[in-house]
Amino acid sequence: MGEPLEITPVEAPLRGRVRPPGSKSITNRALVCAALADGASTLSGALDSDDTRVMIESLGRLGIDVEARDAGTTLVVHGAGGEVPALEAELFCANSGTTIRFLTALVTLGHGSFRLDGVERMRKRPIGDLLDALNELGAHAMSEHGDGCPPVVVHANGLVGGTATVRGDISSQFLSGILMATPGAQSPVELVVDGPLVSQPYVRMTLEVMRAFGVTVDTAAEMRRFEIVPQRYLAGQYAIEPDASAASYFWAAATVTGGEVTVEGLSADSLQGDVAFVDCLEQMGCEVSRARDSITVVGRPLKGIDVDMNRVSDTVQTLAVVALFAEGATTIRNVAHIRHKETDRIAALAAELRKLGAEVSERPDGLTIQPGTLRPATIATYNDHRMAMSFALAGLRIPGVRIENPQCVEKTYPAFFNDLARLIRET
């Protein structure tokens, strides 16, 4: 894992502009839609990271060629017209939830046997509800060990169609994976969401990417029911936005240092719900300026807030670190599903924030952070990229913050520490 990385506190408020790499969530959705399209598609502004590389490698094992150009930021996907060329494949998805969930659904369109696996943590991340829904649609997908977790084995003979119920309270990626695959079913599909749907903006993102590749979905009852008729994806050119979850770290850097940072390439109309993270910062006292192609945050004295972060759950760790520097307690609610991410993010946050001197009350669906006397600490990252990037921000203000296994940011943002250092240099 290498040596821990010590973050040097800044001497002045951070000021500058930054453009994060392409959205991981959009890149992997666009890869799936392009893979199912007729002909070659070009994806520009793509993210080159561990998560997208394992998706590309897995598509290659399925017989769908992806050419990477421009240091991996331009991808040419040779779509297979709704088919899965390979008759069998072993897919290693590392710790990429989007890859294993999206491809489990995609391979049901094929004809043959497919096995999908990942790292040890992936074998603890639930996938049984996705398998149940796919089996309702005529698939034959199972958890190899019968525990509702990967490895997954799919004996594919096409997806029949019909009606399936999808639980909404575990991961929106289940629903997104099924939505992207079902245009290739043999008959119409109706998907019914059981219970509250977490991370709704990610499902809206999926629908928008599908629409960009020529596929439409009828939605009803506030995203509680989806109807998909058999149709073909169309190849084309697709530009990928910068990653809004990654942008949160730079907006937060402005917040905790009292500076001013502009993130380019994102607007309030972004496909990514995580741009709403700046609304949380605004509630805490920051100034936010939203332009057509950028969003700027100006740090101001902070006050604690009580906030439902279900729609921006990938930024919970960022806000939790910001809360260290606020006056009064901050309560984050309605994010129970983040216990099933790369780590149990609620428990991990509570443990590491306490190291830095905060008082933390943990609940099943969130936590309350009461700032205390801040102190140095070595932060465990649990092989979770978002723990590393979020807690690096604490080191901008607190001397002696060291980040264990900083290499884990390779999952979604390999250049994060370089980009943060550049912003500090240019201030």
Side-chain angles (χ1 to χ4, degrees):
M1 293 195 300
E3 292 295 316
L5 175 66
E6 183 160 348
I7 308 298
T8 302
V10 297
E11 298 178 356
L14 291 187
R15 300 184 184 278
R17 306 176 71 87
V18 65
R19 186 183 180 96
S23 163
K24 181 263 290 188
S25 299
I26 298 178
T27 298
N28 271 356
R29 283 163 172 79
L31 280 166
V32 169
C33 294
L36 293 171
D38 286 310
S41 297
T42 300
L43 315 181
S44 59
L47 173 66
D48 180 32
S49 73
D50 286 351
D51 271 19
T52 54
R53 290 176 201 137
V54 296
M55 174 67 84
I56 290 168
E57 180 182 350
S58 294
L59 289 174
R61 290 179 179 273
L62 294 174
I64 299 166
D65 185 46
V66 180
E67 299 175 51
R69 302 173 182 171
D70 304 325
T73 62
T74 300
L75 303 174
V76 179
V77 185
H78 297 274
E83 302 292 329
V84 178
L87 298 179
E88 61 180 4
E90 288 268 348
L91 307 181
F92 180 72
C93 303
N95 201 18
S96 174
T98 54
T99 300
I100 199 164
R101 290 158 178 174
F102 294 174
L103 293 188
T104 293
L106 184 150
V107 299
T108 65
L109 302 177
H111 298 272
S113 296
F114 306 95
R115 183 176 181 274
L116 302 92
D117 199 1
V119 298
E120 182 181 355
R121 173 61 186 173
M122 183 63 77
R123 290 186 167 198
K124 298 176 181 177
R125 298 177 70 176
I127 200 168
D129 293 302
L130 172 62
L131 305 181
D132 291 344
L134 289 169
N135 290 337
E136 287 184 60
L137 299 174
H140 186 193
M142 68 192 77
S143 165
E144 185 173 78
H145 300 314
D147 58 0
C149 296
V152 170
V153 176
V154 179
H155 298 295
N157 193 27
L159 200 59
V160 177
T163 300
T165 299
V166 183
R167 276 185 59 186
D169 61 346
I170 299 295
S171 174
S172 64
Q173 293 173 5
F174 295 169
L175 178 57
S176 288
I178 299 171
L179 282 168
M180 287 187 288
T182 47
Q186 298 160 16
S187 60
V189 170
E190 180 184 44
L191 300 176
V192 179
V193 178
D194 179 22
L197 177 60
V198 299
S199 306
Q200 281 194 24
Y202 284 95
V203 179
R204 297 187 190 279
M205 176 197 298
T206 301
L207 297 174
E208 289 299 323
V209 176
M210 292 171 67
R211 185 175 294 114
F213 284 88
V215 166
T216 58
V217 177
D218 289 333
T219 63
E222 297 183 349
M223 302 187 70
R224 302 305 299 272
R225 180 175 285 103
F226 302 82
E227 296 178 355
I228 309 99
V229 299
Q231 52 197 299
R232 302 296 285 268
Y233 286 97
L234 305 176
Q237 313 286 317
Y238 188 79
I240 295 165
E241 297 176 351
D243 194 293
S245 304
S248 75
Y249 309 117
F250 298 102
W251 288 320
T255 300
V256 302
T257 66
E260 179 176 341
V261 173
T262 298
V263 173
E264 299 175 340
L266 291 172
S267 73
D269 297 325
S270 166
L271 288 183
Q272 301 167 79
D274 279 351
V275 294
F277 174 74
V278 297
D279 299 345
C280 301
L281 299 181
E282 204 166 35
Q283 291 178 52
M284 297 182 84
C286 293
E287 294 179 18
V288 179
S289 300
R290 302 166 179 83
R292 183 183 60 83
D293 194 43
S294 66
I295 299 177
T296 301
V297 169
V298 180
R300 292 288 184 255
L302 300 170
K303 62 180 184 297
I305 59 173
D306 189 320
V307 60
D308 182 333
M309 294 192 72
N310 184 274
R311 291 175 177 267
V312 292
S313 59
D314 272 350
T315 63
V316 165
Q317 289 139 299
T318 320
L319 193 77
V321 171
V322 170
L324 291 170
F325 306 99
E327 181 180 347
T330 292
T331 296
I332 297 170
R333 302 184 184 278
N334 199 19
V335 291
H337 61 286
I338 71 172
R339 291 188 182 276
H340 305 289
K341 295 284 189 175
E342 284 81 348
T343 187
D344 178 340
R345 286 180 169 167
I346 293 174
L349 270 173
E352 303 312 308
L353 291 168
R354 288 176 185 135
K355 288 182 183 178
L356 291 170
E359 295 181 14
V360 183
S361 301
E362 181 183 341
R363 300 183 315 282
D365 79 324
L367 66 170
T368 296
I369 302 146
Q370 179 69 55
T373 301
L374 300 176
R375 56 181 181 246
T378 298
I379 302 299
T381 52
Y382 307 84
N383 205 32
D384 183 345
H385 54 130
R386 301 206 186 282
M387 290 294 290
M389 291 185 279
S390 296
F391 278 87
L393 304 175
L396 298 177
R397 286 277 304 275
I398 306 170
V401 172
R402 304 170 80 230
I403 306 298
E404 289 185 347
N405 187 24
Q407 294 82 6
C408 67
V409 302
E410 296 278 338
K411 185 176 192 295
T412 57
Y413 196 167
F416 171 73
F417 289 108
N418 290 336
D419 286 355
L420 182 62
R422 180 181 56 78
L423 181 64
I424 293 169
R425 287 196 305 272
E426 294 176 358
T427 293

